[in-house]
Amino acid sequence: VTTFRVPEDLGSVLDKQVMGPTTENLTKSDFPVQSYQPKVQIPYRVLPGQCPRSIEIERRRWLYLTFDNAQLLASKGIDSNQLMPRHHDPDNMPTIQDKKDPLFPIYLSLKVFDNEEYDCRTPEEWISLGLEPGSHDRKPVPGKALLPTDDVLGHEDPKNPKLIYQWIDVGVLDYDKKTKLYLVHKTKNGMVRNEEGRPILNGGVTSEG
């Protein structure tokens, strides 16, 4: 009788034991799992033959993942890069023949069209999706924001004509009730990290402020 000896390269041996496809989510992310779940108005217990709540949530989650803001706007003839008003160059003003009449620039602010009547969640409910059960640290919530590709110039002058705006994946960190603005941070491979490479928790507020 001999004793069992564990191979030195046990990790590589286990990695080779692939039995087939798996439903495990292998992608690394700083977002909680529940932050991707859509809100449904379905009871937790349903009658036989009706769609269970968990299946309906999963179906809507896959459906919403197929939507793309830029493509939906482009299908209606809207250029996302033109949604942000820019400063006009007085030395190079467009003419009416260019179909860019400077007499009628973009002047309607976003709040004119911001209707919260049909929102499925309040801003506080969206932010609370970052709280995992049993944890006191609030993680970011995934979202998309129309942001400039140049971060430095975008912070200095958001209406600079040289800026290019695109829909970018972000992590929503916090919400300001007074200004009704969200604090977001650009993601990198599904990660929302600070300059030190650590996850940003609780809206980025630390003991120092």
Side-chain angles (χ1 to χ4, degrees):
V1 179
T2 58
T3 59
F4 174 74
R5 296 182 179 179
V6 180
E8 296 180 356
D9 56 343
L10 179 61
S12 61
V13 174
L14 295 177
D15 293 338
K16 295 179 181 179
Q17 296 180 355
V18 180
M19 307 305 295
T22 176
T23 58
E24 181 184 1
N25 187 9
L26 301 177
T27 58
K28 296 182 179 180
S29 175
D30 288 334
F31 301 119
V33 178
Q34 71 272 7
S35 62
Y36 291 97
Q37 293 183 354
K39 188 174 183 179
V40 297
Q41 302 294 337
I42 297 179
Y44 288 91
R45 294 184 179 181
V46 297
L47 297 175
Q50 295 182 351
C51 181
R53 179 184 178 89
S54 58
I55 294 180
E56 181 62 25
I57 291 177
E58 189 67 11
R59 286 178 177 176
R60 294 194 187 185
R61 187 178 72 88
W62 282 101
L63 175 63
Y64 296 159
L65 286 175
T66 60
F67 295 154
D68 184 85
N69 291 2
Q71 293 181 359
L72 292 174
L73 292 173
S75 63
K76 300 298 182 180
I78 300 175
D79 184 5
S80 298
N81 189 36
Q82 301 296 327
L83 294 179
M84 174 62 72
R86 315 298 175 88
H87 297 306
H88 287 291
D89 185 6
D91 298 331
N92 189 19
M93 295 292 288
T95 61
I96 297 179
Q97 288 75 11
D98 297 334
K99 296 182 180 181
K100 296 180 180 180
D101 192 353
L103 300 178
F104 302 98
I106 301 175
Y107 65 94
L108 294 179
S109 60
L110 180 61
K111 63 181 179 181
V112 177
F113 306 96
D114 192 8
N115 188 349
E116 302 175 357
E117 184 177 355
Y118 296 101
D119 287 359
C120 61
R121 290 188 175 99
T122 63
E124 291 76 16
E125 289 177 335
W126 282 113
I127 297 298
S128 64
L129 292 177
L131 287 171
E132 292 182 323
S135 176
H136 298 287
D137 293 328
R138 178 171 54 82
K139 293 184 176 181
V141 179
K144 280 185 176 293
L146 187 64
L147 298 176
T149 55
D150 189 339
D151 295 336
V152 178
L153 183 59
H155 282 287
E156 294 178 355
D157 186 7
K159 296 185 179 182
N160 194 303
K162 298 181 180 179
L163 288 175
I164 299 177
Y165 279 81
Q166 293 180 352
W167 291 100
I168 299 176
D169 294 328
V170 297
V172 182
L173 304 180
D174 206 351
Y175 177 76
D176 192 342
K177 295 182 180 179
K178 295 182 180 180
T179 60
K180 293 187 177 182
L181 296 177
Y182 290 93
L183 176 64
V184 300
H185 191 285
K186 289 184 179 181
T187 62
K188 187 175 182 181
N189 299 326
M191 304 291 184
V192 184
R193 302 296 174 94
N194 57 15
E195 296 178 353
E196 299 176 355
R198 298 179 181 178
I200 302 178
L201 303 176
N202 303 316
V205 179
T206 61
S207 57
E208 292 79 11

